[in-house]
Amino acid sequence: MGAASATLAACGPKAPEKKAPAAEAPKAKPAAPSDALADAVAGAWRSPEAKARDAWRHPVETLTFFGLKPGMTVVEFWPGAGWYTDILAPFLAQTKGRLYAANLQPADPASIQIVDAYKAKLAASPKIYGDVAVTAFGPTSGEVAPAGSADMVLFLRNLHNWMAAGIVDKAFRDAFAALKPGGVLGIEEHRAAPGGVQDVVSENGYVQQAYAIQLAKEAGFVLAEASEINANPKDTKDHPFGVWTLPPTRLSSERGEPPKPGFDHAKYDAIGESDRMTLKLVKPK
């Protein structure tokens, strides 16, 4: 298995075992979205399951905090099935912007299948998604977008995957190269408890906020602001199967093993989705 898809298999989320009543999400601070962003978040093309997670992922507040504006050129690293693409691509298409989707670097049948499914989704609805440029990010990939062309780059819950694959430093370097001077790197990531020693492969899926900031600074970025938009104080971060014990993945056994019959999800469902850092970093002018 290639490094990129091996990372997903080892550290990425698996399909949920079963649905559960949603815990009450922490309240995010209100934001003043543009009409186009509000329209994209409310879009009929987004599934009910995707919209149900808005209470935890706060897409309007998060993208507004990062400074998303109409007409921007944005790079989304490893979009997965496209949860955020379903918002970003329609918004940018409507406002004459451009989305670069730096997907997995195809290395084996599993990674090729993921990328092909993503491309097929975009191709099926060109009026909704517009002209998304699908590039690649992986161990030996080239530029994710033309150098100095992007207004914003987004790392959305992927630092732990890249740490496991040994390519997290490359991710920051590639983002820095793609951004214009003054451009923004927005990070959302599962947040580890502060003060400990960071596991450099993030086996449990959590990353210390200070560690993430240090990685960004080593690549040349400057921290502009941190937000608690995606915080969840109920998350104790000591779950038996890492962050994936929590919704929406809800593991009941080690990754790659069959679900454990009779596993009591109630405690973890009551916590809800993970506590997450939300960081806005800038490439100096």
Side-chain angles (χ1 to χ4, degrees), residues 27-48:
K27 302 298 183 182
K29 293 181 180 180
S34 70
D35 290 343
L37 180 55
D39 288 347
V41 171
W45 55 88
R46 298 186 67 219
S47 70

Side-chain angles (χ1 to χ4, degrees), residues 123-268:
S125 302
K127 291 184 178 179
I128 293 173
Y129 297 112
D131 183 19
V132 177
V134 180
T135 59
F137 170 69
T140 60
S141 59
E143 59 184 20
V144 295
S149 67
D151 300 288
M152 181 176 291
V153 171
L154 297 173
F155 290 174
L156 301 168
R157 301 191 318 150
N158 269 312
L159 289 185
H160 59 282
N161 287 323
W162 303 329
M163 289 167 65
I167 56 175
V168 69
D169 291 333
K170 184 177 186 295
F172 281 101
R173 291 196 304 269
D174 288 1
F176 194 88
L179 282 166
K180 300 173 182 177
V184 170
L185 171 62
I187 298 177
E188 177 200 353
E189 179 57 271
H190 310 299
R191 179 166 51 189
V197 177
Q198 175 67 52
D199 173 12
V200 295
V201 296
S202 185
E203 186 175 0
N204 66 1
Y206 287 96
V207 180
Q208 290 185 22
Q209 184 163 316
Y211 187 79
I213 293 170
Q214 182 60 36
L215 289 174
K217 288 182 176 179
E218 289 173 358
F221 289 99
V222 175
L223 178 65
E225 192 175 357
S227 172
E228 294 300 299
I229 291 169
N230 294 302
N232 181 359
K234 293 182 180 180
D235 184 4
T236 55
K237 310 170 187 186
D238 57 356
H239 319 306
F241 310 111
V243 70
W244 304 283
T245 314
L246 299 176
T249 309
R250 305 179 73 242
L251 286 188
S252 61
S253 59
E254 296 295 339
R255 293 186 294 271
E257 296 183 2
K260 182 179 180 181
F263 182 84
D264 187 2
H265 289 278
K267 170 184 175 181
Y268 308 103

